[in-house]
Amino acid sequence: MSELSRLKALVTGGASGIGRATGVLLAARGADVAVLDLDPSSVDEPLRGYVADVSDDASVRSAVAAAAHELGGLDILVNNSGIGAAGTIEDNDDAQWHRGLDVNVLGVVRTTRAALPLLRASAHAAVVNTCSIAATAGLPQRALYSAGKGAVQALTLAMTADHVREGIRVNCVNPGTADTPWVGRLLDQASDPEAERAALNARQPMGRLVTAEEVAAAIAYLASPAAGSVTGTALAVDGGMQGLRLRPEEQ
Ligand code: NAD
């Protein structure tokens, strides 16, 4: 029997990048997977796509209910949808701050809130939040984004405490810079995309970006029954970026 067979999973932001890789991997390991996204039109079988905007509570509730109905329950929730923001605290106005936190923090709240009654009924309930290295390292030009991801890491712990006695595990993954369409868009906007990519690669101790599949593998582990005693953790998938302090390479 496959590792995740008979488990029902919902992945937000599952039409692209890390979320897409996660949905595909969970399905390959035997889970029935639904994807919730602003535009799930690119989602292929066997994944099922549902339109929802995580900044809209009614839309989230109706998509979670529809997905759980089709799947026949819910065991795994991956809160992965997110948007980027660049700049110092001087560069984003209040509307941008409200929008960034609404999607990246309250998005986790809305989807989990809608899913909790279903997760309580599961014998293998797991929530995995896609957090970021931005929660634990000070990155330049990422004030709004980092504030949101810091909140997601703290929220992960608070949710863990609230729901541990209900049999619901909650963890997060903290990717370093990952080679997804998101980062592709950032590189496209740079004045010198090649130099920008080289700078991002150099920031990772391993000298390369993280892959979406590597983050998906960590999410799949945290979501699986094999991680049955793992809760309230943040698993870094960052090529060593958070923990290592290397000397410059000898020339
Ligand atoms: P991506 O842009 O490739 O995918 C994000 C997906 O989220 C898209 O399909 C998008 O449609 C969806 N989405 C955005 N806003 C939404 C909303 N309001 N409602 C529903 N869906 C919405 O990005 P990615 O790089 O795969 O990022 C996925 C997650 O990983 C994000 O939470 C991001 O913060 C996090 N992350 C990314 C990196 C990186 O370097 N790529 C690093 C650390 C953490």
Side-chain angles (χ1 to χ4, degrees), residues 59-134:
S59 139
V60 168
R61 284 187 185 281
S62 102
V64 169
H69 179 73
E70 284 291 314
L71 294 171
L74 192 65
D75 305 287
I76 295 166
L77 171 64
V78 182
N79 285 307
N80 167 80
S81 57
I83 55 173
T88 72
I89 57 162
E90 291 182 304
D91 297 325
N92 298 112
D93 62 22
D94 281 11
Q96 290 168 323
W97 273 88
H98 285 299
R99 178 69 189 159
L101 298 176
D102 197 13
V103 173
N104 288 358
V105 184
L106 274 82
V108 176
V109 172
R110 292 187 186 97
T111 316
T112 313
R113 193 165 56 195
L116 273 173
L118 300 151
L119 294 171
R120 288 188 182 108
S122 163
H124 296 286
V127 177
V128 185
N129 299 324
T130 306
C131 190
S132 173
I133 178 105

Side-chain angles (χ1 to χ4, degrees), residues 56 65 141 189 210 243 245:
D56 178 61
Q141 298 284 324
Q189 288 161 17
V210 173
R245 299 292 181 273

Side-chain angles (χ1 to χ4, degrees), residues 13-19 36-39 52-55 80-83 99 103 130-133 145 149 175-178 180-183 185:
S16 176
I18 292 167
L36 187 154
D37 205 291
L38 288 174
D39 178 9
D53 178 346
V54 298
S55 69
N80 167 80
S81 57
I83 55 173
R99 178 69 189 159
V103 173
T130 306
C131 190
S132 173
I133 178 105
Y145 182 71
K149 290 300 184 179
T177 308
T180 68
W182 168 321
V183 168
R185 289 191 295 275

